[in-house]
Amino acid sequence: NGLNFVAIPYPSGLEAHQALSRGEVEVAFPSSISVYAAEQSGLYLTEPLVTSGEIAIVRRNYNFDPKLPLRVAVNANNPDYLTNLQNCYPHWQILTYDDTETCLRKISSGDADVLIVSNYRLGVLASKIERLNLKTVVCGNTISMSFAVRDDEPTFYTIMSRLTKFLPVNDIHN
């Protein structure tokens, strides 16, 4: 009776989407890729289940101003943020690095100005932010997070879409 999920962690959003495309998992969450990127990958996105605040990570002595033309570090294995970056900050230069740790080091060294993350990621990154003498700044924008399913599974897509509409908010955040 009902749906049962088993969480399978992947090192990055890209790897989760690749596992989904190969049929190793039935659904990937969270997914913040654009609808176009999903279609190009053979995926469907549900309506967003949740939204998350965008947090900028910058050097501790840096006066963050998102209106300036900044150099934003992006984890190459997590393309989910690209849509938001291109929509909200089209004047920023995107610098792609192998992983989030490298992005943080590039900000600390001054090779990049900012990394944008979901506020859900702060707990995982807190010690690295502190160690590299960085700080966080609330951006005021949000990132939508959806379920992604393969486009050859329309029935499962329908089930997941309904789930996003009827799941009580209290259950989402517990």
Side-chain angles (χ1 to χ4, degrees):
N1 293 342
L3 292 174
N4 293 309
F5 291 93
V6 175
I8 301 172
Y10 285 89
S12 69
L14 179 63
E15 290 172 79
H17 287 142
Q18 290 170 340
L20 178 60
S21 294
R22 289 189 302 266
E24 295 170 11
V25 295
E26 288 78 27
V27 62
F29 181 84
S31 184
S32 300
I33 61 174
S34 70
V35 172
Y36 177 78
E39 288 176 0
Q40 295 299 305
S41 300
L43 304 174
Y44 287 144
L45 297 177
T46 65
E47 289 296 315
L49 178 65
V50 294
T51 58
S52 171
E54 277 186 351
I55 303 295
I57 301 174
V58 297
R59 288 179 299 287
R60 192 170 305 271
N61 61 353
Y62 191 77
N63 187 18
F64 175 68
D65 182 350
K67 295 179 186 126
L68 295 176
L70 303 177
R71 298 166 299 160
V72 59
V74 174
N75 179 341
N77 293 309
N78 197 357
D80 285 8
Y81 293 99
L82 286 177
T83 299
N84 249 28
L85 288 172
Q86 292 163 342
N87 289 338
C88 298
Y89 313 105
H91 54 288
W92 287 7
Q93 177 187 2
I94 294 174
L95 304 175
T96 306
Y97 299 105
D98 290 337
D99 52 39
T100 301
E101 177 75 30
T102 302
C103 291
L104 293 171
R105 283 197 315 271
K106 293 294 185 175
I107 293 165
S108 182
S109 70
D111 293 325
D113 301 313
V114 61
L115 170 66
I116 300 294
V117 298
S118 157
N119 62 0
Y120 288 126
R121 299 272 301 140
L122 287 182
V124 174
L125 298 174
S127 64
K128 295 174 185 175
I129 291 168
E130 184 67 28
R131 187 182 79 243
L132 291 169
N133 201 29
L134 303 173
K135 68 178 181 181
T136 59
V137 180
V138 175
C139 293
N141 295 321
T142 58
I143 300 168
S144 296
M145 298 179 177
S146 302
F147 289 106
V149 299
R150 289 189 318 273
D151 64 5
D152 63 351
E153 295 283 351
T155 303
F156 190 62
Y157 169 75
T158 301
I159 292 168
M160 295 307 298
S161 290
R162 288 186 179 171
L163 175 72
T164 63
K165 291 181 174 72
F166 298 114
L167 191 63
V169 173
N170 289 342
D171 288 348
I172 294 171
H173 295 288
N174 283 335

